[in-house]
Amino acid sequence: MKVTKLKKKSMNKTLNQGLFIVGVMILWELVARAQWFPVLLFPSLSSVFVNLLTELVNGEIGGRLLFSLYLIGAGLGLAVVTAAVTATSALISPIISDWVQALMAVLHPLPGIAVLPIIILWLGTGPQSIIAVIWFSSIWPLITNLHTGLRSVPATQMEAGRNLGLKGIALIRFILLPGAFPYILTGLRVAWARAWQASVAAEMVFGASGGEGGLGWFIYKKRFFMEIPSVFGGMIVIILVGLLVERLCFEWVEVRTIRRWGMTSE
Amino acid sequence: MVSNNEELVIENLDKTYYLGERRINALERINLQVKTGEFINIIGPSGCGKSTLLRCIAGFEKPTNGRVKLRSNEIKGPGIDRMMVFQDFEQLFPWYTVLGNIVFALKVTKMIATAKERKEIAKHYLKMVGLAGFEDLYPHQLSGGMKQRVAIARALSVQPRILLMDEPFGSLDAMTRSTLQEELIRIWKETKVTIIFVTHNIEEAIILGDQIIVFEANPGRVKEVIKNTLSRPRSPEANDFSQIWERIHKLLGFKNRERVLEERNLIRLFQEERELSLLPHL
Amino acid sequence: MKKMFWVLLCLVLVTGWSFAPRIHSAPVEEIKIAGQFGLVYAPLMVAQSRKIFEKYGLKPVWKEYGSGGAVREALISGEVDVGFMGIPPFLIGWDKGCQWKAAMGFVVVPVGLVTYDPNIKSLKDFKAGDKIAVPSPGSVQHILLAMAAEKELGSATALDNNIVAMPHPDAAAALISKKGIKAHFTTPPYLFEELSQPGFHLVVDDITIFGHPFSFNVGVASERFHDRRPVVYSSFVNAISEAMAWINANKKAVANLLAPEFKLTPEKTMAYLTWEGMNYTTAPYGLMGFAEFMQKAGYIKKAPQQMEEIAFENVLAFVGSRAGGRSEIEKIQYK
Ligand SMILES: Nc1ncnc2c1ncn2[C@@H]1O[C@H](COP(=O)(O)OP(=O)(O)OP(=O)(O)O)[C@@H](O)[C@H]1O
Ligand SMILES: [Mg+2]
């Protein structure tokens, strides 16, 4: 009884949201066709989709997307490794823990893109700088969540683990990491979102080298060639990838882990 | 002279904590001998060091002075020869199923080589605590009593010499508690494991223990060791039961009054004290 | 008391301002100009400081934008009436359907590709990882690079994977510190600054690529503005012409006037103003040449067949249309 009701409720929600989005899309098309704004600056949704289709077919947008994903993968991967090392050291040494907390307090509010000028000075332009910006943008949510997560594991679970003879790395691997997983997942979600933002923003500020650019560069270039439908197309691809990763990766993992384990607050 | 059946010996054990300037003598000059297969109960007011003693035996804490010896070997740290069952319901690993919790224990302790065998043994212990058929549930889907049963099964599965139980039934309702007491005795007889069991409840202590060790607080010391030779199964209605009850009751510092009422007050008093004793930690 | 004073002052100002048109004898017309700053924009700066617009009955409203792309978008949305941009960005807009035309040439300046690497003597010497900074994709510099690449390497896009988009000051700093980029396709004063560094040299310059000088910037006005306010339009063209003529006749005075704004010495400003190739002129150079190349290389879909598709009548009259073959000034519109 209850289950079906719940299902119905979530169905209603999805339907409601879907209708809303369709409504916004129709509104967009109507406003564009009414030509209240210059068509050059406000293209119709249909022209955006037609454009997107051609760019999908000619492979340009796919290549850009792959490159963006490569940049984000590299930056996020590095951030995960750094965050893991930092949070683990902070766990072992109270002194390092103080340092990490100080760093988090000072640097977390700083948007990754704000450090771009310095990164360009140090690393020059190009993929390495974008990766650095992504790294900087995504590392703080990761460290913060790992740090809190590792401390949220109940003391009795730790002792139950120690009782079984676990210590050091094994204790971290078998007890602390799964125990901190709800936080880790949140950290990864936030980090992923920030990595995307950083990659697109960084490319639009200095535009990576042409052939090596990702979606940010795509949008940047299209803007200068006044291909505004393509600019919107790039944005739509970013939105779709964000949605897809949220639904197919994060939610998939969440359902199979912390929701099954009863470790969510929901 | 170490006799053959001396399982655990505690010699001149002191445990002192320092909270800033304050010095807390959690345990002072504790001397105890536990024989193999014995069922020991520890009872005492809140803050008298019962948990501390258990944690010293388990190896989670190092004694300030003195030592704990398990069959003549000094204890240096945690080990699966002494398994702890805690009071709180969070001791199970939420990311494993009921079966998974036990299989994991068997796996990391490298007790059992094959996955198939581990599963069988885990099932055996689940059956022992009356949880056959609940293997695939996750801890968050269990009641408090069921969680404690799983914790006991997990602890037993690695075949410890001693089972350390720190108020394992303290958060359960009276009915569940009494069922679990009966089952614990059955399991104890079945496995012949030595049990050291901390409780706040005088009745529980008398029903379970061969020896009842009464503690006093500030500093935490052994006040008296009472041999409990009542024949099992023990019934609170029996005359000699009441005698021991009165004795412990007095030792804990209460005047002779109506028993049931007293028990209730006692629990309330303990609870208040517990809350107070928590304050310095907050 | 003090509050009273401010209230009164505000009242006076507001009433004064709203009655102003009636009080003045000559009508004052507002014109919104996308203003930029720098050596290339000296005519604008001179016109402003010598109040030349006012003389023609114009009240300039200056709007500043961070990039050429933003100037173009401001023109399209009607935020400004006139703006200045390179021929290629102008043509890209025209190709995409912007209702605008060239109102004047603005300045001819030397443009060149500078590197510090002694091994780079021609475009052939650029390797895959060597970054070439241009202000933005589709800029004059980018299109010139494409022209040069087509000529020397056989394909207009041969170096597209080498370009990075960077604003001039950042790119100049990066090149001088030899960090990140190998070369910079740039304009004065960055061109002069970079070439004065030891070992820095030109790989290729505008004349070699294009064949003759071309307008680095042109003045662009929307057709809507031009059609609805013809008097304001022509006043604007005349005001700029006067500013330019004054610059060409009084270089020394201009140097003194602009030196503090550029934070340079008057001597250095003078040197820049009189660098060989600098030419402030409203004559258009190279409008059609860029269009033909860009269409051929695929940067725009259609090229104008006639000048009148992309230039207003004053420009057309200026260039003329010689019977029996192109005149000199007609010829320089082509590559
Ligand atoms: N980690 C610690 N740091 C400082 N003091 C501690 C620590 N652990 C326990 N103590 C102190 O040692 C004393 C004994 O604590 P313990 O937990 O052993 O009491 P207990 O007999 O188990 O009490 P209860 O019945 O309330 O569980 C208390 O005064 C307590 O405040
Ligand atoms: Mg306790």
Side-chain angles (χ1 to χ4, degrees), chain B residues 202 214 223 244-256:
Chain B
I202 304 178
V214 184
K223 192 164 196 183
I244 302 181
W245 195 96
E246 299 284 351
R247 199 172 146 204
I248 299 173
H249 193 233
K250 221 180 257 163
L251 280 169
L252 290 174
F254 296 96
K255 297 260 145 49
N256 230 349

Side-chain angles (χ1 to χ4, degrees), chain B residues 46-47 49-52 87 166-167 198 200 274:
Chain B
S46 187
K50 306 181 294 290
S51 296
T52 306
Q87 174 178 6
D166 193 355
E167 302 184 53
V198 167
H200 264 134
R274 274 178 85 84

